Amino acid sequence: MNDFPFLSILTLLPLVGAIAVAFIPRAKAELAKTVAFVWSLVVLVLSVFMWIAFQVDGDRFQFRESYAWIPSWDARFTFAADGIALVMLMLIAILFPVVILASWNDVEKTNRSAPVYFSLLLAFEFTMIGVFAAADVFLFYVFFEVMLIPMYFIIGSFGGPRRQYAAVKFFLYSLVGGLFMLAAVIGLWVVGGNTFDWAKLAEAAGSIDQNTARWLFLGFFVAFAIKAPFFPFHTWLPDAGGAAPAGAAALLVGVMDKVGTFGILRYCLSLFPEASRWFAPAALVLGVIGIIYAALLAVGQNDLKRLVSYTSIAHFGFIGIGIFAFTSQAGTGSVLYMVNHGLATGLLFIVVGMFVARRGSNLISDFGGAGKLVPVLAGVFFFAGLASLALPGTAPFISEFLVLIGTFTVHPAYAVVATAGIILAAAYVLWMVQRTTQGTLNPALAEVPEMKKDITLREKVVVAPLILLIILLGFYPKPVTDVINPAVQATMQDVNVEDPGPTAVVANERVAR
Amino acid sequence: MEDLKLPGIDYGALLPMLILFGAACVGILIEVFTPRRTRHPIQLGLGLVAIVAAFVAVVVQHSTRKITIGGAVAIDGPTVFLQGAILVLGLVSLMLIGERSVERGGPFVSQAAITVGSQKDLKQAGDQPGMTEVYPLTLFALGGMMLFVAANDLLTMFIALEVFSLPLYLLCALARRRRLLSQEAALKYFLLGSYASAFFLFGVALVYGFAGGISLGQVHDAVVNPQRSQILLYAGLAMIAIGLLFKAALAPFHVWTPDVYQGAPTPVTALMAAVTKVAAFGALLRILYVAFDGVRWDFQPVLGAIAVLTMLVGAVLAVTQTDMKRLLAYSSVANAGYLLVGVLALNEEGLSGTMFYLVAYGFSVLAAFGMVTLVRDADGEATHLARWAGLGRKSPLFAATFTFILLAFAGIPLTSGFTSKFAVFGAAVEGGQTWLVIFGVVTSMLLAFPYLRVVVMLWLSEPGESTPTVSIPGFLTSAALVIGVAATFALGVVPAPLIDLTRDAAQFVR
């Protein structure tokens, strides 16, 4: 079964879909939406098969495929997935149909072409799958840069009032990060023996001059920190998240930002272990600052989408400290958090989008007492908020708990400060929910006819799978952690390759793969 | 008196150049003997056939490695590759030059001598068919460029420099519209170009004094084993370099670029941006790699500083431009800086990377200028940036194609711009010039901004009252655009064949 070329087909499918949808005439909007939705379901089905075919106790990298591309640079179309990549691919496959369904009526209001929008969404899915499936540094870089383009046009053409500013800021920030990474990729190619093959580079990792490795590490890290985004590289996200259509914003923080943390795990830690350890204290400090700072700013926001963007920066602080704590527990927590954050914040963005679509405004002050008009939607909103603040019983709780406990064993001080972030999370989420849906009914709100419509069937279909998954993984995360664990342990061993004793044996096994 | 003996001549190796020069001479006769109405198709056909024939001759000669006509011309890997590049890019430029359907009578003036603004001038701007002398001029220019990259001694190189420069000066002056701007551009180009030629010639004299010979091999030997004062060498190298840096539009010798690019008829601008760059860098590569290789430690930092300056000047000034042609001109200055980074790697990867970059950039820039010719209003081309606002709404296909080319200039993957940047930067890091690459990356970030501004302009701005229309391109322009865009995409997605070709070609003979 594993000889089946899962990853290349999974990567190409959305691209084919994007091209097909782009050629649907503008007048046939419904057809375009349906095709895009069905197409994303096909991708989902294929990735479920891949999930089943993945052998939890098998090799670290499975579904490996490799095709020649630029022989003289030794750049190849190499695809392979470890547990971390697999869960991210699964998250993508789940979120895209949900978002496509959630964005069903978003385009009509903007007087823009629906086929273009849904084609861009599928093109974005193509770049997302590619970036997680790539196991060749050059190929990864290509997808890393190309993914900017569909998102740039989604924000710039279909976003809110400040869309131009947000789109350009988003593109420039990401491009600057990408060019730092380009310099590092070139440097890595030269010092790593003129190859882009991830496996060969990871083997050569120990032999790179440490000073050079630190510079190369920083090149990669800056790119990923901007993408993630970590404090102080985060300022583009509130603008982009605030301006993007709600569905695209859910993808932005739910999927695309994960490329940053995924890149740190796969490329920074494994290719530059010594430099990662050297940089870890600084990264931990940045993570903790990010948690507190972004949470404080979130409390003060008056714009729903910007608020959710800030919460997500705070959550990325947790993911960051979990990665750089260098324990398997915290690492597993981080990867699990990447999945859960995608589900919870994705849900929160989608629900916020439903509110915004009804009210025609992002401002919290334009709501107030909305729960009296749309009780079910307000309930879903409340649930999404609770999941986002990591209430026990929801999936994010487990990951946050793992991160904190794993960090506490090695860096108790950071864990203690980070815990303050949980309290702030409760503050911003509960206050947001209170100001939006509770209390006395805002009279202006009651006059908006749209606000009288409670959650529709389509919207129920959108939120149901996410709610189910959040609860399911909240009580029984084992299927996911089983997949993540071996990959995280292998990554942690990469970081400690110079340790004597048992890890060296395991490291040899990895090399033998 | 000693008998004069002709050196052995390998006509086969020289055939491509002979074809072009011959066709150019025939073109002049056509001007004399055929009626005016029929000249355009005949000249255009002759030009296209000559270039294709010359290209075939180059391909036939592809494995030749020799020095012929008494050491004046070297046919080796880089020569064959660069001559092929000049011909292919020249063919595409000629298609743009030959386009007559976008504008009535074509982009060229019908009688250059008529006073600007007079009644006659207004009349000829209307519908009279354009000059057909442009075809022989173009062929002479292309032939001169082919000789330029093949020249194996400094005097031949100087002659080639003049052979291709003089037709270019003339071509710049022949725009049908905005004739004052065009004439001013030609004058500026001519004056500055003459200075540059003079520097070059003086440099040749000094180097002759140093080496006792003008062939690149003799210079090389003298550099390795100096017999005379090295002051002659350094002064001579510096002056020769000035001449070449001028042609390649490297700072601080780039000041002519924006004015000339803006003033020249757009198809000629395309020719200069794509093909002249190939010629100028081809000669620079040969001079530095073949003749002055022995003093690389002395010129590497100086030229490195020039590369940095060029990248900075090009990127920073591109940000401030309000005219599309000037923006592309500054972007081509910045690209010359990246090319110089590849040249300064001074290894085989640098040579092959630079050649790859020249071809990739040539195709993109041809497509870009080709598209500039299509955006027009009643007064001709509308090149002011503000006028392009909202074109994406009116002409989505055009705007999408232009966006793609801009992404290539910005170096986004899956375009040739990315692969070529990667090739030269990788070579430079390998050659120990990491600092240049760092500057290259920093300026790439700066340079992304103007491109992005144009993209925003095209797609995200509302179309205004004065938004010009996009003309339906004629067959020739369409073909040129398709070739340029397809090459930009293909060299980004499957660059391996061309990279292998440049690698095989990356060996000079001495």
Side-chain angles (χ1 to χ4, degrees):
Chain A
M1 189 67 185
N2 278 9
D3 293 335
F4 186 76
F6 273 113
L7 290 171
S8 52
I9 293 179
L10 199 65
T11 310
L12 287 177
L13 256 185
L15 178 65
V16 175
I19 295 168
V21 172
F23 279 103
I24 295 176
R26 192 177 165 164
K28 298 194 173 164
E30 289 298 317
L31 177 68
K33 294 172 192 173
T34 316
V35 171
F37 181 62
V38 171
W39 214 291
S40 64
L41 283 182
V42 172
V43 174
L44 176 62
V45 169
L46 184 66
S47 45
V48 169
F49 278 117
M50 190 173 76
W51 180 274
I52 295 166
F54 189 83
Q55 288 157 343
V56 171
D57 49 358
D59 295 340
R60 178 175 178 185
F61 286 97
Q62 300 183 21
F63 315 120
R64 190 180 165 84
E65 298 169 50
S66 197
Y67 310 102
W69 187 12
I70 311 176
S72 48
W73 295 349
D74 201 12
R76 300 174 66 81
F77 286 108
T78 304
F79 297 105
D82 60 355
I84 303 172
L86 183 74
V87 292
M88 293 316 298
L89 291 171
M90 204 63 216
L91 177 69
I92 293 169
I94 292 170
L95 272 181
F96 268 88
V98 168
V99 163
I100 288 175
L101 200 58
S103 318
W104 207 257
N105 296 327
D106 281 5
V107 185
E108 260 101 70
K109 297 183 187 75
T110 57
N111 186 26
R112 300 232 171 201
S113 160
V116 170
Y117 183 70
F118 288 93
S119 165
L120 284 171
L121 281 180
L122 285 177
F124 187 56
E125 185 172 20
F126 154 69
T127 60
M128 282 293 105
I129 293 178
V131 84
F132 287 109
D136 178 287
V137 179
F138 191 82
L139 185 65
F140 173 80
Y141 181 77
V142 166
F143 278 114
F144 187 84
E145 287 284 271
V146 171
M147 72 182 175
L148 299 179
I149 296 166
M151 195 35 106
Y152 170 78
F153 282 107
I154 289 174
I155 298 175
S157 297
F158 299 91
R162 274 162 65 78
R163 57 175 187 266
Q164 284 200 17
Y165 171 78
V168 172
K169 190 169 175 181
F170 159 76
F171 197 92
L172 282 181
Y173 264 67
S174 306
L175 190 70
V176 166
L179 287 168
F180 275 112
M181 193 165 127
L182 173 65
V185 168
I186 292 172
L188 183 65
W189 181 75
V190 172
V191 299
N194 293 10
T195 180
F196 287 112
D197 187 61
W198 187 90
K200 284 185 203 157
L201 287 169
E203 262 175 72
S207 60
I208 300 175
D209 167 56
Q210 290 191 0
N211 199 27
T212 317
R214 287 176 183 183
W215 282 108
L216 298 179
F217 168 86
L218 284 178
F220 277 94
F221 182 79
V222 167
F224 295 140
I226 290 176
K227 188 68 69 185
F230 289 154
F231 177 86
F233 306 106
H234 64 280
T235 59
W236 62 270
L237 181 64
D239 287 314
L251 296 176
L252 195 69
V253 297
V255 182
M256 192 177 113
D257 288 358
K258 306 297 179 337
V259 177
T261 45
F262 171 82
I264 289 175
L265 281 165
R266 170 79 70 82
Y267 295 92
C268 285
L269 298 197
S270 294
L271 299 185
F272 312 104
E274 190 278 338
S276 303
R277 270 174 281 145
W278 160 75
F279 191 73
L284 287 168
V285 171
L286 288 183
V288 171
I289 293 177
I291 294 172
I292 304 295
Y293 174 81
L296 284 173
L297 283 179
V299 174
Q301 291 302 313
N302 189 27
D303 178 312
L304 278 172
K305 281 158 131 184
R306 288 178 71 89
L307 196 159
V308 180
S309 302
Y310 274 112
T311 70
S312 137
I313 295 169
H315 293 150
F316 271 97
F318 280 106
I319 300 177
I321 60 170
I323 291 173
F324 279 96
F326 297 145
T327 63
S328 296
Q329 214 167 18
T332 305
S334 281
V335 178
L336 194 59
Y337 210 147
M338 283 157 64
V339 178
N340 294 337
H341 175 264
L343 298 172
T345 309
L347 176 66
L348 191 56
F349 252 123
I350 288 169
V351 179
V352 163
M354 292 173 183
F355 272 107
V356 170
R358 284 174 166 73
R359 181 68 180 90
S361 161
N362 299 348
L363 293 181
I364 295 179
S365 54
D366 284 338
F367 291 89
K372 293 193 172 58
L373 297 171
V374 282
V376 181
L377 188 58
V380 175
F381 185 45
F382 188 53
F383 176 83
L386 291 181
S388 173
L389 70 77
L391 189 81
T394 60
F397 168 73
I398 294 174
S399 39
E400 202 163 293
F401 183 75
L402 276 174
V403 166
L404 287 173
I405 204 165
T407 311
F408 189 83
T409 55
V410 280
H411 303 293
Y414 292 116
V416 168
V417 182
T419 311
I422 301 180
I423 300 160
L424 285 170
Y428 59 67
V429 167
L430 292 177
W431 204 34
M432 169 181 77
V433 171
Q434 194 202 0
R435 284 186 295 169
T436 316
T437 61
Q438 307 296 309
T440 50
L441 182 64
N442 182 347
L445 190 68
E447 285 169 19
V448 181
E450 294 266 299
M451 282 305 296
K452 301 218 165 46
K453 266 192 292 189
D454 206 347
I455 191 161
T456 64
L457 179 64
R458 174 180 63 83
E459 288 169 335
K460 280 180 193 158
V461 177
V462 169
V463 295
L466 294 179
I467 294 175
L468 274 178
L469 275 171
I470 289 170
I471 296 174
L472 201 68
L473 294 179
F475 285 100
Y476 188 63
K478 193 170 176 299
V480 179
T481 47
D482 280 351
V483 171
I484 296 172
N485 254 325
V488 168
Q489 271 164 11
T491 309
M492 292 305 153
Q493 277 149 14
D494 283 342
V495 184
N496 295 312
V497 276
E498 286 158 30
D499 278 3
T503 42
V505 178
V506 186
N508 285 337
E509 277 173 17
R510 183 184 62 73
V511 167
R513 119 188 101 234
Chain B
M1 192 179 140
E2 213 180 325
D3 279 345
L4 272 175
K5 253 178 79 181
L6 275 175
I9 300 177
D10 182 343
Y11 286 100
L14 300 178
L15 189 62
M17 288 178 262
L18 295 177
I19 291 175
L20 279 199
F21 286 129
C25 295
V26 173
I28 291 174
L29 294 178
I30 291 172
E31 285 295 314
V32 180
F33 290 112
T34 58
R36 198 164 176 196
R37 284 178 297 105
T38 57
R39 279 183 215 161
H40 166 65
I42 296 176
Q43 291 278 29
L44 179 62
L46 175 71
L48 294 175
V49 168
I51 291 179
V52 171
F55 185 73
V56 171
V58 166
V59 172
V60 170
Q61 289 292 324
H62 72 99
S63 55
T64 309
R65 300 285 183 270
K66 61 166 56 160
I67 294 176
T68 183
I69 358 181
V73 169
I75 306 293
D76 52 14
T79 303
V80 171
F81 181 86
L82 292 169
Q83 286 190 339
I86 287 171
L87 287 168
V88 173
L89 296 172
L91 184 75
V92 181
S93 322
L94 196 71
M95 291 179 187
L96 291 175
I97 289 172
E99 178 65 62
R100 286 288 187 274
S101 65
V102 171
E103 182 171 10
R104 287 186 71 187
F108 295 100
V109 74
S110 60
Q111 279 174 293
I114 293 176
T115 318
V116 178
S118 65
Q119 281 299 324
K120 268 185 168 171
D121 185 40
L122 292 179
K123 190 165 172 295
Q124 75 161 354
D127 51 0
Q128 289 185 21
M131 264 189 167
T132 42
E133 286 93 333
V134 291
Y135 298 105
L137 287 174
T138 309
L139 290 182
F140 272 123
L142 290 177
M145 290 179 200
M146 288 175 71
L147 183 59
F148 198 49
V149 297
N152 192 46
D153 74 45
L154 293 168
L155 266 185
T156 312
M157 197 174 268
F158 176 73
I159 291 167
L161 178 70
E162 292 302 309
V163 169
F164 85 77
S165 293
L166 289 171
L168 282 181
Y169 301 147
L170 284 172
L171 285 169
C172 281
L174 298 180
R176 175 180 290 263
R177 317 251 180 185
R178 299 201 183 81
R179 286 189 51 211
L180 276 179
L181 206 61
S182 173
Q183 291 176 355
E184 183 192 319
L187 190 64
K188 196 173 260 174
Y189 195 20
F190 171 67
L191 285 177
L192 292 176
S194 313
Y195 287 133
S197 298
F199 270 108
F200 186 91
L201 192 58
F202 199 22
V204 173
L206 294 181
V207 170
Y208 177 72
F210 169 76
I214 48 163
S215 93
L216 299 188
Q218 280 172 307
V219 176
H220 170 81
D221 295 341
V223 166
V224 173
N225 188 12
Q227 306 288 327
R228 297 189 182 80
S229 161
Q230 297 225 341
I231 296 173
L232 286 173
L233 166 67
Y234 292 125
L237 173 57
M239 288 186 170
I240 289 177
I242 287 175
L244 294 174
L245 298 184
F246 173 85
K247 277 292 161 217
L250 287 154
F253 311 105
H254 71 286
V255 285
W256 58 274
T257 320
D259 295 328
V260 175
Y261 276 28
Q262 188 188 12
T266 306
V268 175
T269 312
L271 174 79
M272 287 196 291
V275 194
T276 311
K277 265 228 157 96
V278 177
F281 273 96
L284 194 62
L285 281 168
R286 186 173 292 279
I287 290 260
L288 295 183
Y289 281 61
V290 176
F292 295 99
D293 188 40
V295 285
R296 60 157 69 185
W297 306 117
D298 297 304
F299 70 72
Q300 218 165 14
V302 179
L303 287 180
I306 284 181
V308 169
L309 185 67
T310 309
M311 293 186 280
L312 279 176
V313 164
V316 171
L317 293 183
V319 174
T320 62
Q321 297 309 309
T322 54
D323 184 278
M324 185 57 83
K325 282 170 87 177
R326 291 181 77 86
L327 195 159
L328 290 175
Y330 277 110
S331 122
S332 96
V333 170
N335 275 289
Y338 302 135
L339 279 161
L340 191 58
V341 171
V343 173
L344 289 176
L346 292 179
N347 50 25
E348 216 164 279
E349 284 82 31
L351 181 52
S352 68
T354 311
M355 292 197 291
F356 182 87
Y357 199 125
L358 284 168
V359 174
Y361 178 72
F363 280 117
S364 309
V365 87
L366 282 172
F369 279 112
M371 277 187 270
V372 169
T373 64
L374 297 179
V375 181
R376 29 181 70 248
D377 56 15
D379 296 329
E381 289 162 12
T383 55
H384 199 275
L385 263 185
R387 303 284 308 278
W388 287 49
L391 268 184
R393 203 70 68 76
K394 292 175 98 172
S395 319
L397 184 64
F398 172 87
T401 317
F402 201 76
T403 304
F404 178 71
I405 294 293
L406 288 173
L407 291 176
F409 286 151
I412 302 287
L414 301 187
T415 65
S416 65
F418 170 67
T419 18
S420 43
K421 240 176 216 168
F422 202 96
V424 292
F425 286 176
V429 172
E430 195 115 332
Q433 303 292 308
T434 311
W435 67 290
L436 288 178
V437 175
I438 289 169
F439 272 101
V441 168
V442 171
T443 53
S444 300
M445 295 173 192
L446 282 175
L447 197 58
F449 183 72
Y451 301 136
L452 202 57
R453 210 161 49 113
V454 178
V455 175
V456 170
M457 199 71 96
L458 286 173
W459 291 103
L460 309 185
S461 302
E462 297 300 317
E465 284 284 298
S466 63
T467 301
T469 52
V470 174
S471 307
I472 308 295
F475 171 73
L476 287 169
T477 307
S478 309
L481 292 184
V482 167
I483 292 172
V485 173
T488 304
F489 181 69
L491 294 180
V493 179
V494 277
L498 186 65
I499 291 179
D500 293 343
L501 204 60
T502 58
R503 294 225 158 178
D504 295 342
Q507 193 69 51
F508 283 112
V509 296
R510 185 173 279 142

